[in-house]
Amino acid sequence: MSAVLDAALRPGGLRAVYQPIVHLEDQRVVAHEGLMRHAHGSMTPLQLLDLARVAGRLGELETQAARMLVRSFDFERGGRLLVNLSAHAILQDAFRPQQIIEGLQSAGRDLSRFVIEITERDIVEDVGRLADALGYLRAAGIRIALDDFGNGHSNFELWHELGPEYVKIDRYLIHEIAESPGRLSIVRALVQVAESLGTDLIAEGVERMQDLAIIQDLGIRYAQGYLLGRPSERATDAVPDDLRLASREKLPVWPRSGRRSAFPKVTAAHLLIEAPSITDDASNFDAEQLFRQHPDLQALPVVDGSGHPLGLINRRVFNERMAVPFARELLGRKPCIKLMHASPIMADVAQSIDAMSEILLGEDQRYLSDGFIITRDGRYAGVGTGEALVRRVTELRIEAARYANPLTLLPGNIPIAEHIARLIDAHQPFTAAYCDLNHFKPYNDQYGYFRGDRMIRLVASTLLRHAEPQWDFVGHVGGDDFVVLFQSDDWERRCREMVGEFNAACRALFDDDDLARGVLEGEDRAGRYTTFPLTTLTIGATQVTPHRFCTAEEVASQAAAAKRLAKRLSVGLHVLDAAEATTG
């Protein structure tokens, strides 16, 4: 290993590659990160750095790499150069600030053309000392960047105390951000922190157009990744052609997590109560003794010889059976399985609370009195109480309902208003479509809420099927009211297809007699017998141009007016024109 390190430190032992960093607003290459590679072996840069660290030569290796990167870089084409230095080497006095300055000056360039990326794979215990060392570099005109934020040991203390000009958001947070509500929430928060601290963000690991669209929408100014350019031996001033063609004509729809956002990591294991069990060959007297020893135990799990659950003995039912005259004499010595409930409600420790909510919807309500068994690899692990499950699921649904409709899981009023505001602030043209069912109340009154819910879910699935998920936002206001915010150019065709498909599919939700008559029979609001047409879908749409509206409320009001006019005209789709909007 020592020989490998010696070879890497000799002239020509390292080679340089450079990866472009793009300014997203004008799609221009403004900088490159300089990266070292082992010139004569297969050892990765991280392996080489670890080897140098163990040998106490990390500062020597990083200084050699910095000089090599500076000598090979084309400053005329490449913009600024970002050079990696580890906080560990700086704090271990492996090199002095003046050494760094002299190494960078060897390129004969103004030091403002350089950015030092502080990398750290260990916790920095003396942040103040690191900030003092970097102060010498800053005084010479060198800028500072904090690398890999969101992974490793880069943290808010380093950010706050070092005051870097740039913070690079780690690939972990950027890759697939277009499908991850969690990553999106974290990066949104980092954007706010950066704005308050006056820091520019650089998104690392950008490999997909949909992720790039989200990053641009968040206002992150710089990006780096394979989509924008791979590491190369030569600096470049060009971005890929397909990236230049992809202009910001539309605003991406942010990913939504629905009801799972409240407790994404809460599982049955978090409800587990360690409780005794009893084997299937034990007697009722043995069960009685365990109930006496554990007065808070509501149900006693019964397991076989391998620990697999067989059933639950409910405390109340057991005591009532044993209290019957002569029951102790007749049942006491018999196997406890005679008084157990077979087929207990069970959940694996890894099962999420969201998935367990299905227990509350089932016909078997024994969980309220018996609780349920929690298993690990199919064997008994503990019990959970119905009270704890109901409480956690209720909290989840209350929290989620603020942002998503609990029936369809589509975004609710708050996200709808937020997305309209984003479109208005970005001066983005779009079409607001208000979708509503005709004669849904008579249907709900006649068939009941269960089939009514099926029809509501049919509306949701139909709208989603015909919307472009990356650009068209589908929200559920409540009841049978939905909103679609279109950026698709062919929004009118999509609306007509939504109406046509729903009106055909919903016929399967009516009884044959009603379909044959073509009407529903019932009472109107005054209590008089009357007939109602079969339920259909109506969409009212209004086109929103830049600067036409100032608030989400104004847009919602116009879309609702378009919907009312569509229902009055008894048409599937009506687009509110300027004259109607004025008179309305």
Side-chain angles (χ1 to χ4, degrees), residues 477-503:
V477 177
D480 59 331
D481 292 344
F482 293 79
V483 167
V484 184
L485 305 172
F486 286 103
Q487 292 181 83
S488 297
D489 296 332
D490 58 347
W491 61 269
E492 190 168 354
R493 176 187 62 80
R494 293 175 185 269
C495 285
R496 296 192 185 282
E497 289 179 350
M498 290 171 177
V499 172
E501 180 178 309
F502 175 84
N503 290 347

